[in-house]
Amino acid sequence: GSVLFLGGNEVKSSAVVKYSSAPPQAAFARLQEKTDLKLPPANWLRESAKLGPAGTTILGNNKKSKPFSSFGMAYDFIDSVGNDVDVVSDSENIKKLLKIPYSKSHVSMAVHRIGRTLLLDELDIQELFMRSSQTGDWTWLKEFYQRLIDQKWQRKKKSKEHWYQKAILSKFLYYSINGDGAAQPVPSTSKQHQEGPVSGESDEAGRASWPAPFEMPSSLSEDPGASNQGSVPLEPSYIVGHVASAPKEQNLTTLFNDGENSQGLKNDFVRNILWTFEDIHMLVGSNMPIFGGGRYPAVSLRLRDNNKPINVLTGIDYWLDNLICNVPELVMCFHVNGIVQKYEMIKTEDIPNLENSNFSTKVIKDIAQNILSFLKSNCTKEGHTYWLFKASGSDIVKLYDLTTLCEETEDKYQNPFTMPVAILLYKVACNMMLKKNQNKKHYGTIRTLLLNCLKLLDNGRHPQIIASANYMLSELFQLDEPKKEDSTDFPINGNSDESYSEEEEEMPDSDENGSYSNSSDPPDDNKAVAVIKSVGELSVPEKYKSVHRIRPSCAFPVCHGTEERCRLVLNYVLEGLKSVDSSVKKEGDLPAADPSTPIPLKYEDESTSGGPECLEKQMALFLDKMGSFQKGKHSSQSGMIPGSWQYKMKLQLILKSSKAYYILSDAAMILQKYGRALRYIKLALQCHDTYCCLCASMLPEVLVFLCQCLTLCGDIQLMLAQNANNRAAYLEEYNYQTKEDQEILHSLHRESRCQVFAWATDLSTDLECQLSVSCKCYEAAYEILLFSNLKNQNPEQRIQVLKRMGNIRNEIGVFYMNQAAAVQTERVGNKNVSTTEQQLWKKSFSCFEEGIQNFESIDDATNAALLLCNTGRLMRICAQAHCATEGDFKREFSPEEALYYNKAIDYYLKALRSLGRRDVHPAVWDSVNWELSTTYFTMATLQQDYAPLSRKAQEQIEKEVSEAMMKSLKYCDVDTVSARQPLCQYRAATIHHRLASMYHSCLRNQVGDEHLRKQHRVLADLHYSKAVRLFQLLKDAPCEFLRVQLERVAFAEFQMASQNSTAGKLKTLFGALDIMAKTKGAFQLIKKELVAESEQISKDKSSAENVSPNDSSTGLNKEEVLKLLSIFESRMSFLLFQSIKLLTSTKKKIGGINEEEVVLKTNKQVYSLLLRATANKSMTLLERIEVILNLLEQLTQNNEASNGGIQ
């Protein structure tokens, strides 16, 4: 629980016990007066749960320095490290630091920075040098110490008095837990045995506690009982990538040859407490025995010699111990020469005011803040070991960077802190990684932790951690989502003391704290990173502030674009692969870790894949079908043992590189760099080749990813096929390779050389080959979805693959169809259909059919309609192929043509049914309608032009033509405004024209049935007028308009021939002349085009460019115009002549001047002008047209003037 203490209303303190191995507090036994503490109790020095290690530790037989005690705690509470805790340490070290200004004794501590957390450990120089003189290690530090600090160091022997005090304290504590409290003397031999060799024993213990400089174990600890707290996390659950949720408690392998206990890496404090003192958060280890009894739930027990007053140091000690352990009361037992006198209860908040040990809690708070600020400002390099040292009796506190000093010697492993620090950096990073989905803002920190961890490690000795750390670094870069490149993602911790530098450069100090020596200081200070010139400064409030001169380089690097991000990932992957490969090289002897201790990777969990054996068989069959895969060869050529950490880590790294290459390929595809895209997808699939060879069972996620790779590969091959003109550039991109890619390939080829997907990534120059490879890629992807039963779990992917399959089959179908059309045009004369053509039709048809099935299976009506439309087009090509002109005979519309056109119509109608209605997809709907209209029109035209009279009666043919034309009209939409509207209008006009011509022809050729003749006359008239109306709307069909009008004139002439009355004939004649007059617009259009053309020619001549006139022609067919003009002149001449003739005869009959005379006069005038014009053979086309326009003008004026005449 947490209680707030206000020591003298000045200091805030709260403590939360995070872990306690102590039993429930028992009340302490109050000793009777006169109890002799010199006599040992019966239970003395036996293991006691109530005391924990306190009883024996106090005596000193277990008191060896714990140089790594903070690491043990950090390993256990990894969540707190690097983030919210400022300090992790043994409570003794914290007390020692806070007493610096009051105490003369020496201080020697190792300081390490992990994130924003400082780890403090006792660094017992004396013990260190005892070891050094025996083993020869650490000589560099010994020499440095002797040269700069203490020329004549000597190990001070502890006094007899010291050991006597320790012994009676120990006995006192054992009496206090001994229920009856009776002193039971022990035989004196035992006592001597206990007290005699104590100091020697302590020396031995001291020597044993320092680890040798780290060496790689030849065999690992095989002690099954060895504790797992605080060892190296070689199977952190981050490796699971985005799948399985990680177990909170990690099961860790020991990396040290003699177990971590001897390394002092075990957290063996009775209590671990999260202590907040003012604004400082500390994780503290404490062994202080706590008892029940007194007025409070907990008390601490102290023994005092009545003859010696309490001093300030003791007071601070007692006060801090109680604050740290959240104990509200202190029970003090006074003795004289070991004889108990009395007990006294003191509240914790009263301790600072005790007589002789008065101290200000506020000053203690200032000292704490100053020391923390001093350390945080100067211990800036993660992974470095700093040494805080104050010689006994000195006022100066110095901070050295031992790592830098050590690097001046040969080997960084001379520093025994290297490994524990590296492992802690690694563990903190792993722990943050587990929460990475919630905390993207920590990516920068994780990256810095890992980079600093890697700096400390040597590949030869720790390949496993190096591979793991590199893999984690690669995991930080999210490949599957676009990067938000704004600074909010990764806040740069510029002005908090969380920022720290991973740069290896010295930052000069310009601070008032004078971290560097002035010239008056002794010369030895130049090795110190920082100096506190006088311990008195520590009591000055805010004398030391956390200095912000550290570059905040733990901001996550902003990657400009996908390519850079993937390249970084591949760089880390390559480092990881090198690390794995180098550890395998050592002839199958795997030195870095125990191969039987697996890293729990996602691949082991086969339960998810549902019948893994069956899936494995399916996969083997699939691979066998795909390429040169040797069955049953799931093994590595390099000799990696399946199940070993190398094997699992390599699989992970291979998969990661495959993903990076896939993303690179996708990015290149978007940039339309198809050669580069193919190269990257080739690398991605080569990674998969190796993966398939190493690993028989595949997780669904891996299969889904393989499916994505094959799909992308299919897309690339299709794009290459569609952009054949850039082939040379693509080939150049495809053949380029970076050194990094080559090294990754080399690492893959160490394991296997199988080429399962090699077929998919060749850059072919043959269009058909590229299309079929693309199709095969999609088919392979779909097959994976089928046999792995993923299509239901990944419906979106299934739809994507089927869509692409439909699309590629359409592409191939169109390719074969165009080839067939090309063969057809090359066919000379009247040869029959070749087998080549028929083969191409079959191939094309089956592709379209499969494509339609693909689209229908995903309810894609629009695309199914387009493929049905293409099948219709194929049928029309087949129909055209059968229209051979048979020798010298007259060509007829054949039954084969009819059959294929009808099939085409069926497919177009199916396409319309597939769409259902226009608003599903207006463009496709309109397109299908147009094609359908065209097919009906073509069929009708062919039947009309090449009537199959040898098989059918004329009436039958006319009926069929009429029906087909009407259906063509039905699907020809003249009203909807679109780009196709003029085409539709032209088509409809042409249909009306053809129908009118047909009925006109019937009327001329038919004899007999008057009712039928009348019907044909009406229909011909109706269709002519409709054709005229539509041609008038079009501004680019003057010739067609003229032709229709001339046919109408001919129709009028034909009718006139059968009329008897003069009035009737005149009426028909005037009607025909009226039709002639209405062609004025068409002639104006023709004139306009001729003028424009002649201007263009003269312009070209003036600019001396030899451009042929045809280039500038607006597409007017002059021959056609001449032909029509000649007919027009002759018909006009004929009509005028007839009108003059008839009008003259009627005039004779009637006599007198009336409107008819005006008409007659005009017609005579126009007729004579026309005759003169036609007689003049030297006139140009333009001049002739101008004459006609002039004549028509006169006629229309006359008609308007007479306005009636014989109507």
Side-chain angles (χ1 to χ4, degrees):
S2 168
V3 180
L4 193 71
F5 270 106
L6 291 167
N9 298 323
E10 289 170 327
V11 179
K12 291 199 286 275
S13 164
S14 70
V16 180
V17 177
K18 300 277 277 187
Y19 161 82
S20 171
S21 63
Q25 290 147 12
F28 67 93
R30 217 184 172 105
L31 303 187
Q32 294 160 9
E33 239 180 278
K34 308 293 181 206
T35 301
D36 188 352
L37 296 176
K38 294 192 285 296
L39 298 174
N43 60 351
W44 192 37
L45 299 183
R46 289 186 195 153
E47 283 291 315
S48 159
K50 290 179 189 172
L51 281 184
T56 47
T57 307
I58 286 165
L59 188 61
N61 67 340
N62 198 20
K63 176 71 183 89
K64 47 187 182 179
S65 78
K66 287 268 171 28
F68 301 115
S69 61
S70 68
F71 288 87
M73 271 192 286
Y75 290 166
D76 280 1
F77 299 101
I78 208 83
D79 264 343
S80 310
V81 178
N83 208 355
D84 31 0
V85 167
D86 297 297
V87 177
V88 178
S89 186
D90 183 342
S91 60
E92 296 303 315
N93 297 335
I94 288 176
K95 292 192 299 188
K96 199 178 273 189
L97 281 181
L98 297 187
K99 291 190 295 189
I100 284 180
Y102 300 95
S103 162
K104 289 285 176 201
S105 61
H106 88 290
V107 174
S108 171
M109 284 186 202
V111 185
H112 295 91
R113 182 193 261 279
I114 307 286
R116 55 164 283 187
T117 305
L118 296 175
L119 273 67
L120 304 178
D121 291 286
E122 185 183 354
L123 185 61
D124 191 331
I125 288 290
Q126 312 277 350
E127 282 182 18
L128 200 59
F129 296 158
M130 288 289 290
R131 173 182 176 82
S132 172
S133 51
Q134 290 171 3
T135 62
D137 302 326
W138 284 91
T139 42
W140 60 276
L141 186 56
K142 187 173 179 179
E143 283 164 20
F144 167 73
Y145 181 75
Q146 288 176 329
R147 186 168 77 248
L148 292 183
I149 293 156
D150 193 349
Q151 272 79 11
K152 41 190 189 310
W153 76 277
Q154 275 177 325
R155 188 168 184 80
K156 297 188 180 73
K157 292 270 186 206
K158 292 207 165 107
S159 63
K160 202 165 181 192
E161 171 64 18
H162 170 83
W163 297 113
Y164 163 74
Q165 291 297 343
K166 288 225 157 189
I168 65 166
L169 173 57
S170 173
K171 290 168 192 171
F172 164 67
L173 288 173
Y174 274 96
Y175 273 121
S176 298
I177 58 166
N178 206 10
D180 54 9
Q184 295 171 5
V186 192
S188 58
T189 49
S190 154
K191 181 178 159 190
Q192 281 162 5
H193 175 71
Q194 287 292 349
E195 290 188 0
V198 162
S199 63
E201 200 169 299
S202 137
D203 288 351
E204 279 306 312
R207 263 176 249 137
S209 73
W210 269 97
F214 185 78
E215 293 297 334
M216 258 340 276
S218 51
S219 68
L220 294 163
S221 160
E222 287 170 24
D223 170 17
S227 156
N228 272 341
Q229 287 175 321
S231 43
V232 182
L234 289 178
E235 40 183 71
S237 353
Y238 70 83
I239 296 202
V240 180
H242 309 284
V243 256
S245 62
K248 194 76 197 89
E249 277 308 309
Q250 299 173 9
N251 224 357
L252 306 168
T253 346
T254 311
L255 243 204
F256 298 103
N257 46 352
D258 48 357
E260 72 273 325
N261 301 3
S262 66
Q263 287 280 356
L265 285 173
K266 188 161 179 269
N267 175 8
D268 52 8
F269 292 105
V270 175
R271 264 173 227 88
N272 298 130
I273 298 153
L274 201 54
W275 179 41
T276 307
F277 183 57
E278 283 294 305
D279 54 351
I280 304 170
H281 303 289
M282 295 179 258
L283 180 62
V284 181
S286 165
N287 287 327
M288 180 176 81
I290 299 177
F291 297 88
R295 291 162 296 179
Y296 293 99
V299 296
S300 59
L301 213 50
R302 301 289 184 179
L303 184 65
R304 288 298 307 160
D305 190 331
N306 215 357
N307 300 330
K308 294 178 186 164
I310 294 178
N311 62 13
V312 173
L313 294 173
T314 313
I316 293 174
D317 240 16
Y318 291 173
W319 181 67
L320 287 173
D321 266 334
N322 276 15
L323 280 191
I324 290 169
C325 294
N326 223 351
V327 174
E329 194 172 32
L330 166 70
V331 174
M332 199 135 24
C333 173
F334 292 92
H335 75 97
V336 176
N337 294 330
I339 308 295
V340 175
Q341 301 294 312
K342 61 172 179 174
Y343 280 84
E344 195 176 312
M345 305 273 193
I346 302 163
K347 280 187 184 169
T348 301
E349 59 259 43
D350 297 338
I351 298 173
N353 307 320
L354 289 177
E355 205 181 334
N356 298 324
S357 81
N358 255 345
F359 61 90
S360 158
T361 55
K362 215 165 174 22
V363 170
I364 301 287
K365 174 203 79 169
D366 290 333
I367 294 168
Q369 285 170 335
N370 278 326
I371 287 178
L372 183 67
S373 296
F374 173 76
L375 291 175
K376 282 210 164 178
S377 299
N378 296 297
C379 303
T380 54
K381 293 176 186 171
E382 210 171 36
H384 280 222
T385 298
Y386 291 91
W387 177 28
L388 186 72
F389 179 78
K390 178 176 95 73
S392 61
S394 164
D395 255 5
I396 300 172
V397 183
K398 295 175 187 172
L399 184 72
Y400 296 95
D401 182 346
L402 287 189
T403 304
T404 311
L405 293 171
C406 179
E407 278 164 1
E408 290 166 10
T409 68
E410 299 303 300
D411 184 3
K412 63 181 169 190
Y413 298 99
Q414 282 278 325
N415 175 357
F417 284 102
T418 302
M419 267 316 280
V421 172
I423 289 161
L424 185 58
L425 288 167
Y426 175 84
K427 280 187 129 183
V428 172
C430 289
N431 185 60
M432 284 183 158
M433 250 339 225
L434 290 175
K435 307 187 185 129
K436 71 172 181 185
N437 295 341
Q438 301 96 314
N439 283 342
K440 287 210 173 151
K441 63 174 190 289
H442 289 151
Y443 278 19
T445 313
I446 296 173
R447 177 174 170 271
T448 311
L449 288 164
L450 290 170
L451 290 173
N452 286 327
C453 166
L454 287 170
K455 275 184 198 167
L456 296 175
L457 297 170
D458 170 51
N459 202 10
R461 310 183 197 213
H462 327 105
Q464 189 171 3
I465 307 183
I466 288 177
S468 226
N470 275 304
Y471 177 72
M472 277 162 75
L473 280 164
S474 77
E475 277 284 271
L476 285 174
F477 293 87
Q478 291 295 291
L479 291 177
D480 34 14
E481 67 201 43
K483 196 60 148 189
K484 292 184 197 68
E485 310 217 336
D486 50 17
S487 54
T488 51
D489 253 19
F490 301 113
I492 294 178
N493 315 320
N495 34 6
S496 74
D497 62 8
E498 290 186 43
S499 61
Y500 56 100
S501 171
E502 44 154 312
E503 314 293 318
E504 279 296 324
E505 41 194 273
E506 295 295 327
M507 303 281 187
D509 245 27
S510 57
D511 208 64
E512 28 145 25
N513 327 1
S515 300
Y516 278 125
S517 57
N518 296 340
S519 53
S520 61
D521 278 351
D524 52 48
D525 278 344
N526 62 2
K527 293 279 186 187
V529 175
V531 176
I532 298 174
K533 289 183 199 154
S534 161
V535 291
E537 293 180 352
L538 291 172
S539 311
V540 180
E542 297 193 12
K543 168 71 180 166
Y544 289 89
K545 293 192 182 111
S546 216
V547 186
H548 311 304
R549 54 185 170 72
I550 302 132
R551 197 173 311 145
S553 59
C554 62
F556 198 71
V558 177
C559 293
H560 304 288
T562 315
E563 179 132 11
E564 195 183 332
R565 200 157 67 244
C566 292
R567 280 282 155 212
L568 271 169
V569 167
L570 288 168
N571 191 23
Y572 290 128
V573 166
L574 178 58
E575 288 308 310
L577 285 171
K578 281 180 179 168
S579 198
V580 172
D581 291 344
S582 70
S583 79
V584 177
K585 267 184 197 153
K586 297 169 187 170
E587 297 132 48
D589 128 70
L590 308 179
D594 182 358
S596 63
T597 323
I599 305 174
L601 299 177
K602 49 186 171 184
Y603 311 111
E604 290 192 353
D605 181 19
E606 291 179 338
S607 58
T608 53
S609 53
E613 286 80 15
C614 166
L615 187 60
E616 247 177 74
K617 274 185 203 146
Q618 293 273 18
M619 189 69 194
L621 282 170
F622 169 73
L623 293 172
D624 196 42
K625 196 162 92 181
M626 284 297 118
S628 61
F629 180 69
Q630 294 113 8
K631 277 189 194 151
K633 278 200 75 177
H634 290 294
S635 64
S636 136
Q637 293 175 5
S638 68
M640 271 195 320
I641 299 163
S644 64
W645 73 264
Q646 285 101 327
Y647 174 81
K648 287 171 176 171
M649 181 51 77
K650 190 146 189 179
L651 282 179
Q652 281 295 73
L653 289 164
I654 287 171
L655 201 57
K656 190 76 191 176
S657 58
S658 184
K659 279 184 181 156
Y661 283 130
Y662 170 80
I663 302 292
L664 280 169
S665 179
D666 198 37
M669 178 84 173
I670 292 162
L671 296 172
Q672 298 181 340
K673 301 275 188 193
Y674 303 124
R676 189 196 302 175
L678 187 63
R679 167 164 56 92
Y680 283 136
I681 204 69
K682 181 177 186 171
L683 286 160
L685 285 168
Q686 278 175 318
C687 292
H688 264 291
D689 279 345
T690 307
Y691 190 93
C692 294
C693 290
L694 288 178
C695 179
S697 60
M698 288 213 188
L699 261 201
E701 291 87 298
V702 182
L703 286 171
V704 168
F705 178 55
L706 176 56
C707 179
Q708 286 170 341
C709 285
L710 286 165
T711 308
L712 180 59
C713 189
D715 293 352
I716 295 165
Q717 291 283 12
L718 176 57
M719 294 321 290
L720 285 166
Q722 288 177 350
N723 294 275
N725 46 350
N726 282 350
R727 201 166 268 153
Y730 296 145
L731 190 63
E732 195 178 326
E733 288 173 9
Y734 177 71
N735 289 328
Y736 171 79
Q737 211 165 41
T738 66
K739 184 168 183 290
E740 197 173 52
D741 296 339
Q742 286 166 346
E743 287 182 359
I744 288 176
L745 267 181
H746 174 71
S747 177
L748 295 177
H749 287 153
R750 277 171 58 88
E751 305 313 327
S752 90
R753 287 188 175 273
C754 40
Q755 303 256 306
V756 183
F757 301 108
W759 55 267
T761 53
D762 285 336
L763 182 51
S764 167
T765 50
D766 175 45
L767 184 62
E768 185 179 352
C769 177
Q770 283 174 324
L771 290 171
S772 71
V773 166
S774 175
C775 187
K776 199 176 164 191
C777 285
Y778 297 138
E779 284 167 359
Y782 188 60
E783 198 174 332
I784 291 173
L785 288 176
L786 280 180
F787 77 69
S788 60
N789 207 13
L790 289 167
K791 65 178 196 297
N792 304 330
Q793 296 154 28
N794 293 61
E796 187 47 44
Q797 187 141 2
R798 172 179 169 269
I799 289 168
Q800 285 303 319
V801 172
L802 280 167
K803 222 173 209 161
R804 285 170 160 82
M805 275 165 74
N807 180 47
I808 191 70
R809 282 169 171 161
N810 179 44
E811 290 283 340
I812 298 172
V814 169
F815 171 77
Y816 288 135
M817 178 164 75
N818 291 341
Q819 274 198 324
V823 172
Q824 187 181 311
T825 47
E826 284 164 15
R827 201 166 7 117
V828 188
N830 56 357
K831 285 183 189 164
N832 287 334
V833 179
S834 66
T835 49
T836 317
E837 271 177 274
Q838 288 176 330
Q839 290 303 112
L840 288 167
W841 294 341
K842 278 181 188 163
K843 283 183 183 174
S844 179
F845 182 72
S846 70
C847 286
F848 288 141
E849 212 170 30
E850 286 171 349
I852 292 163
Q853 283 168 3
N854 292 149
F855 285 126
E856 283 175 348
S857 68
I858 54 170
D859 301 326
D860 187 341
T862 311
N863 279 317
L866 281 171
L867 264 76
L868 285 161
C869 201
N870 276 339
T871 317
R873 193 174 135 216
L874 176 68
M875 293 301 126
R876 278 159 62 192
I877 287 175
C878 296
Q880 284 162 18
H882 284 92
C883 72
T885 50
E886 292 155 20
D888 301 327
F889 299 114
K890 188 168 173 287
R891 143 126 165 84
E892 280 192 1
F893 181 66
S894 67
E896 288 84 9
E897 282 178 273
L899 171 76
Y900 281 116
Y901 278 122
N902 281 314
K903 277 189 178 176
I905 288 166
D906 283 346
Y907 282 113
Y908 290 129
L909 289 170
K910 267 187 198 166
L912 288 179
R913 281 200 295 277
S914 170
L915 287 169
R917 54 186 197 282
R918 184 172 187 266
D919 52 8
V920 170
H921 200 297
V924 176
W925 177 268
D926 292 348
S927 174
V928 177
N929 269 309
W930 172 252
E931 294 296 334
L932 187 53
S933 167
T934 307
T935 310
Y936 277 123
F937 177 70
T938 310
M939 198 159 80
T941 310
L942 287 169
Q943 267 184 300
Q944 195 175 3
D945 296 351
Y946 306 106
L949 292 167
S950 60
R951 295 197 313 278
K952 292 179 182 174
Q954 179 76 36
E955 291 80 12
Q956 172 72 15
I957 294 169
E958 282 165 8
K959 186 177 171 220
E960 284 177 12
V961 169
S962 170
E963 279 174 4
M965 287 290 190
M966 292 316 286
K967 280 181 181 166
S968 180
L969 268 178
K970 175 185 167 187
Y971 293 107
C972 184
D973 179 5
V974 284
D975 303 321
T976 308
V977 179
S978 69
R980 204 182 262 128
Q981 193 184 21
L983 273 177
C984 291
Q985 288 170 336
Y986 185 86
R987 160 78 47 80
T990 310
I991 290 171
H992 286 301
H993 177 195
R994 274 185 165 267
L995 285 171
S997 298
M998 187 175 81
Y999 292 127
H1000 183 173
S1001 162
C1002 293
L1003 206 57
R1004 280 176 185 273
N1005 301 332
Q1006 263 177 352
V1007 190
D1009 191 350
E1010 192 52 41
H1011 171 69
L1012 199 62
R1013 286 176 67 79
K1014 190 177 179 186
Q1015 201 179 348
H1016 282 163
R1017 190 181 297 120
V1018 171
L1019 284 169
D1021 208 32
L1022 172 75
H1023 286 297
Y1024 274 134
S1025 57
K1026 282 187 176 176
V1028 166
R1029 200 184 73 245
L1030 284 163
F1031 277 131
Q1032 263 176 324
L1033 292 172
L1034 296 164
K1035 292 281 171 271
D1036 55 355
C1039 294
E1040 285 84 347
F1041 180 71
L1042 265 180
R1043 187 179 292 278
V1044 176
Q1045 293 290 53
L1046 286 170
E1047 279 191 29
R1048 284 180 79 190
V1049 170
F1051 186 58
E1053 286 177 21
F1054 173 69
Q1055 280 178 293
M1056 197 172 70
S1058 62
Q1059 283 173 324
N1060 298 323
S1061 73
T1062 310
K1065 282 189 173 182
L1066 266 177
K1067 187 176 178 185
T1068 311
L1069 262 177
F1070 281 127
L1073 279 168
D1074 192 37
I1075 290 170
M1076 286 262 176
K1078 282 182 180 158
T1079 58
K1080 194 167 77 175
F1083 279 117
Q1084 280 169 338
L1085 273 174
I1086 293 170
K1087 178 188 168 184
K1088 193 174 158 191
E1089 288 196 17
L1090 288 168
V1091 170
E1093 194 176 297
S1094 61
E1095 277 175 7
Q1096 181 70 36
I1097 291 167
S1098 58
K1099 193 170 151 192
D1100 289 345
K1101 277 181 184 164
S1102 67
S1103 60
E1105 285 178 21
N1106 304 324
V1107 181
S1108 64
N1110 297 357
D1111 291 359
S1112 57
S1113 160
T1114 46
L1116 195 66
N1117 185 341
K1118 285 189 192 170
E1119 281 178 27
E1120 174 90 342
V1121 174
L1122 278 166
K1123 202 162 133 193
L1124 289 169
L1125 189 59
S1126 303
I1127 298 171
F1128 188 88
E1129 285 168 346
S1130 77
R1131 285 352 286 152
M1132 192 172 176
S1133 166
F1134 173 77
L1135 288 174
L1136 286 167
F1137 176 70
Q1138 289 295 332
S1139 72
I1140 293 165
K1141 199 168 142 190
L1142 281 171
L1143 282 170
T1144 312
S1145 69
T1146 52
K1147 186 183 147 195
K1148 281 177 186 168
K1149 284 179 187 174
I1150 300 166
I1153 294 172
N1154 58 11
E1155 289 154 342
E1156 284 182 3
E1157 273 195 16
V1158 183
V1159 176
L1160 178 63
K1161 190 183 170 190
T1162 310
N1163 284 8
K1164 278 181 177 175
Q1165 199 182 342
V1166 172
Y1167 183 57
S1168 76
L1169 284 170
L1170 180 61
L1171 285 176
R1172 273 184 220 146
T1174 46
N1176 183 358
K1177 298 293 177 196
S1178 63
M1179 285 173 83
T1180 63
L1181 179 61
L1182 189 59
E1183 286 166 343
R1184 283 171 71 185
I1185 285 171
E1186 279 171 344
V1187 168
I1188 294 286
L1189 279 168
N1190 190 16
L1191 297 176
L1192 290 174
E1193 185 67 32
Q1194 287 185 37
L1195 270 180
T1196 45
Q1197 277 172 358
N1198 167 45
N1199 284 0
E1200 281 162 14
S1202 61
N1203 200 15
I1206 304 166
Q1207 292 297 317

